[in-house]
Amino acid sequence: MIDIRQMRYFVALAETLHFGRAAERLNLSQPPLSRQIAALERELGVRLVERHSRQASLAAAGKRFLQDSRAVLASFDEACRNAKLADEGELGELAIGFMMHAAYGALPGIARRYMAAYPGVRLSLREVIPSLLPQLIMTGQFDAGITFHGGGNPALESRSIHRERLCLVVPPGHRLADRETVQAADLEGEALIATHADVAPILRNVVVDFCRAAGFEPLVQLEAQLQQTIVRLVAEGLGIALVPETMRKIGFADVVFRDLEDAPVVEHVIAWRRGNLNPALKPFLRTAGIFVEE
Amino acid sequence: MIDIRQMRYFVALAETLHFGRAAERLNLSQPPLSRQIAALERELGVRLVERHSRQASLAAAGKRFLQDSRAVLASFDEACRNAKLADEGELGELAIGFMMHAAYGALPGIARRYMAAYPGVRLSLREVIPSLLPQLIMTGQFDAGITFHGGGNPALESRSIHRERLCLVVPPGHRLADRETVQAADLEGEALIATHADVAPILRNVVVDFCRAAGFEPLVQLEAQLQQTIVRLVAEGLGIALVPETMRKIGFADVVFRDLEDAPVVEHVIAWRRGNLNPALKPFLRTAGIFVEE
DNA sequence: CGATCATGATGCCGAAAAGGTATGGATCGC
DNA sequence: GCGATCCATACCTTTTCGGCATCATGATCG
């Protein structure tokens, strides 16, 4: 069977047109080279080299084979290098899922730095609903995800990368709209608009717990998936809400944001499946400031 | 050293994810396959396959290496096939030189048929002055050429592919313009415009010999390289000329073409260097209806 | 024109590598 | 816990490869 070594021998020969010198370049003595070239020609069924007494020359088939061989050898060597690079996380694909809030938090910086440091990795970023993330990471659709503090799945490892306070959002003219700061107790009796528990349970629970700690059960009559929707509904006068401070940056009209005393805090975490074998994951975590040793 | 065989083994393994079945597909027993894969991984310095008790799976580096290996193997096999094809004249390059007259003769048909039959050969066609062709064929710049009957070079082989009569071209109103046919003797005393002997000696000689056979020496006062130029000068009234009949097809204004009795004939030949090793040459000659056995 | 040199091919031997058979060790399912 | 499955390892045989010595051939030079 023809062999990559014979190709290398042939290229050396074609470039020197001299069996002795080619053999020398290959750290080989001349007879094995002669034999390998002869074997190559026999196996191809084609004469590649014309032997003259003074020097060799390439037949037409040899010229063609030289071209092709150079290309094959280059891609062969590159394949070997690429395997190493892929193993080191320098080459490959990395799928990251993130909840919308992350786009206002740590995600952009991490993604920018990672892409600059690992240009060989095709980074795929996809926004998903927070509650879906753990499952998608477990099934391998994402190598990692940015969501609110992990879903308690033991196979998922997670590290905090960002902390965010909640703030109050009310329509203009609301009785709390002019207060410098608001306490939990001030919310009693107000109609709250909150995230649906199926979408972002953490966020929902933080709000509920905040109220309970002040001694009352919150009145949630209206639920929405997206924080933007919640703010919009507040603007329409359908209630008030506690939302992450990132909402403040977006610049909504017809609402007023107010700080909360001892405001509840939600954490953004990067979560990944323990035992994920994608070599590109660890460098990504490092870029996010997370150093796992194991 | 890593080897194309190990790549084939790896691809088989990656496609079955089972050492036993992969070995079977390779007509091999399982232990050598295990060893070769292990050797491959050791030489690459990378783990490609994760061995689990029930089945194997590919590591990230393995996935990448599988992709790359498929591409390498395909180009490797193609290189081997191409060598054979190049040797058979199905693949390569063929440089043909031709004089302008050939473009009105056999060349278009031959080129068309050849390109259709040998799409893998890059056919390069270049017009050159007839007198230069033999030299350019000898030095290898052309594999073959179409010119007037060969320059007498013993290393050049040539075969006729086309015969062409000369005809008379005169300005309208010339004393010979109305004659049904013209004889050589009628040309005596006329100012002839002829090809320069350095450009197309054969053509020039045919004209001169035609006159000498009729017993007079032609009066050549004006010489031009191209037949088109000659016809144009005839139209301008500067003389008359004998030109190949192809000129008739072009449709010049202000000239009249007349048949000659016992018209001189020039031959178009394909010429090539005996011993030209381009495998694409013989099929080209066959396409031109020339069968060399040697 | 013959001796010499250069170059590639061939014969032979030892070393390295590859494949085959038998077997071991780990894991999974019953 | 036992058999079955699957890959790794050990050991042997066969094949292949490379090195050395030598040969054949054609070019070069005195």
Side-chain angles (χ1 to χ4, degrees):
Chain A
M1 189 58 79
I2 302 173
D3 178 350
I4 204 93
R5 177 171 29 85
Q6 296 173 321
M7 246 186 191
R8 289 190 204 281
Y9 289 3
F10 171 73
V11 170
L13 174 62
E15 285 175 353
T16 59
L17 291 176
H18 188 289
F19 282 76
R21 275 187 282 280
E24 189 179 359
R25 215 180 78 177
L26 293 164
N27 296 316
L28 205 69
S29 63
Q30 170 262 320
L33 177 61
S34 283
R35 274 196 300 259
Q36 289 298 333
I37 297 297
L40 177 62
E41 289 180 324
R42 179 161 29 81
E43 281 162 336
L44 286 174
V46 165
R47 165 152 297 234
L48 299 173
V49 181
E50 300 292 337
R51 285 85 158 166
H52 310 110
S53 52
R54 197 80 200 128
Q55 81 195 3
S57 69
L58 290 184
K63 283 182 191 142
R64 176 75 200 204
F65 195 62
L66 174 59
Q67 279 181 251
D68 290 351
S69 292
R70 285 199 177 112
V72 168
L73 289 173
S75 63
F76 180 88
D77 293 342
E78 200 192 346
C80 295
R81 280 195 306 275
N82 284 351
K84 189 102 183 109
L85 290 176
D87 190 59
E88 289 162 354
E90 298 279 347
L91 207 59
E93 295 175 14
L94 187 67
I96 304 295
F98 64 98
M99 60 176 181
M100 173 272 259
H101 309 275
Y104 298 91
L107 178 69
I110 297 172
R112 201 166 19 239
R113 291 202 306 279
Y114 181 77
M115 289 192 293
Y118 296 89
V121 179
R122 222 193 58 191
L123 183 63
S124 125
L125 296 168
R126 239 183 76 200
E127 185 196 336
V128 288
I129 289 172
S131 60
L132 289 179
L133 253 178
Q135 188 57 24
L136 293 170
I137 295 171
M138 280 309 297
T139 59
Q141 270 156 290
F142 293 119
D143 293 300
I146 303 182
T147 181
F148 291 124
H149 187 274
N153 191 322
L156 282 189
E157 188 126 8
S158 68
R159 299 290 162 82
S160 172
I161 52 167
H162 190 64
R163 293 168 58 86
E164 183 174 25
R165 293 156 50 93
L166 300 193
C167 63
L168 177 69
V169 54
V170 298
H174 188 275
R175 67 175 177 94
L176 296 172
D178 298 330
R179 298 271 286 276
E180 198 54 41
T181 60
V182 178
Q183 296 179 323
D186 297 328
L187 304 176
E188 185 163 4
E190 291 284 345
L192 284 182
I193 308 174
T195 318
H196 197 287
D198 291 345
V199 173
I202 307 278
L203 198 53
R204 164 73 171 240
N205 291 343
V206 160
V207 172
V208 171
D209 293 347
F210 182 63
C211 296
R212 284 183 184 155
F216 69 96
E217 191 67 19
L219 215 69
V220 178
Q221 297 171 308
L222 197 49
E223 295 176 323
Q225 286 199 9
L226 298 177
Q227 301 298 304
Q228 284 96 328
T229 310
I230 293 176
V231 175
R232 179 69 199 139
L233 296 176
V234 170
E236 292 288 349
L238 295 178
I240 68 173
L242 302 188
V243 297
E245 280 192 316
T246 50
M247 289 298 105
R248 224 162 177 164
K249 300 183 194 165
I250 298 179
F252 287 99
D254 304 324
V255 291
V256 175
F257 290 93
R258 282 286 159 258
D259 287 335
L260 289 168
E261 210 163 274
D262 297 319
V265 167
V266 286
E267 288 198 330
H268 294 200
V269 302
I270 292 188
W272 66 96
R273 190 171 57 81
R274 211 190 303 279
N276 181 314
L277 290 173
N278 189 337
L281 177 57
K282 205 179 287 184
F284 181 81
L285 296 176
R286 266 202 299 276
T287 304
I290 300 171
F291 298 87
V292 281
E293 53 301 321
E294 79 215 66
Chain B
M1 187 59 79
I2 302 172
D3 174 343
I4 204 92
R5 178 173 28 86
Q6 295 173 321
M7 244 184 194
R8 289 191 203 280
Y9 288 4
F10 171 74
V11 171
L13 174 61
E15 285 175 354
T16 59
L17 291 176
H18 189 289
F19 282 75
R21 274 187 283 280
E24 189 178 0
R25 214 180 80 178
L26 293 164
N27 296 315
L28 205 67
S29 63
Q30 170 261 321
L33 177 61
S34 284
R35 275 196 302 260
Q36 290 298 332
I37 297 297
L40 176 62
E41 289 180 323
R42 179 161 30 80
E43 283 162 333
L44 286 174
V46 165
R47 165 153 298 234
L48 298 173
V49 181
E50 301 291 337
R51 285 86 160 165
H52 311 109
S53 52
R54 199 79 199 130
Q55 80 194 6
S57 69
L58 289 185
K63 283 182 192 143
R64 176 75 201 202
F65 195 62
L66 174 59
Q67 279 182 252
D68 290 352
S69 293
R70 285 200 177 112
V72 168
L73 289 174
S75 63
F76 180 88
D77 294 342
E78 201 193 345
C80 295
R81 279 196 305 276
N82 284 351
K84 191 101 183 108
L85 290 176
D87 191 60
E88 289 162 354
E90 297 280 346
L91 208 58
E93 296 175 12
L94 187 67
I96 304 294
F98 65 98
M99 60 176 182
M100 172 274 259
H101 308 275
Y104 298 91
L107 178 68
I110 296 172
R112 200 167 18 240
R113 292 201 306 278
Y114 181 76
M115 289 192 293
Y118 296 89
V121 179
R122 221 192 60 193
L123 184 63
S124 128
L125 297 168
R126 240 182 77 202
E127 186 197 334
V128 288
I129 289 171
S131 60
L132 289 180
L133 254 179
Q135 189 57 23
L136 292 171
I137 295 171
M138 280 310 296
T139 60
Q141 271 155 288
F142 292 118
D143 292 300
I146 303 182
T147 181
F148 290 125
H149 187 271
N153 191 323
L156 282 189
E157 189 126 6
S158 68
R159 298 292 161 81
S160 172
I161 53 166
H162 190 64
R163 293 167 59 86
E164 184 174 25
R165 292 155 51 96
L166 300 192
C167 63
L168 177 69
V169 54
V170 298
H174 187 274
R175 69 175 176 93
L176 298 172
D178 297 328
R179 297 271 286 274
E180 198 55 42
T181 61
V182 178
Q183 295 179 324
D186 297 328
L187 304 176
E188 186 162 6
E190 291 284 344
L192 283 181
I193 308 175
T195 318
H196 195 288
D198 292 346
V199 173
I202 307 276
L203 198 54
R204 164 74 171 239
N205 291 343
V206 160
V207 172
V208 172
D209 291 348
F210 182 64
C211 295
R212 284 185 184 152
F216 67 97
E217 192 66 20
L219 215 67
V220 179
Q221 294 170 311
L222 198 48
E223 295 178 323
Q225 285 199 11
L226 299 177
Q227 301 299 304
Q228 283 96 329
T229 309
I230 293 175
V231 175
R232 178 70 199 138
L233 296 176
V234 168
E236 291 289 349
L238 296 177
I240 68 174
L242 301 189
V243 297
E245 280 193 318
T246 52
M247 289 298 104
R248 223 163 175 164
K249 299 183 195 165
I250 299 181
F252 288 99
D254 303 325
V255 291
V256 176
F257 290 92
R258 283 285 159 258
D259 289 334
L260 289 167
E261 209 161 275
D262 296 321
V265 167
V266 287
E267 286 197 331
H268 295 199
V269 303
I270 291 189
W272 68 95
R273 190 171 58 80
R274 210 190 303 277
N276 183 315
L277 290 174
N278 190 336
L281 176 58
K282 206 180 285 183
F284 181 82
L285 296 176
R286 265 201 300 277
T287 304
I290 299 170
F291 299 87
V292 283
E293 54 300 322
E294 85 215 61

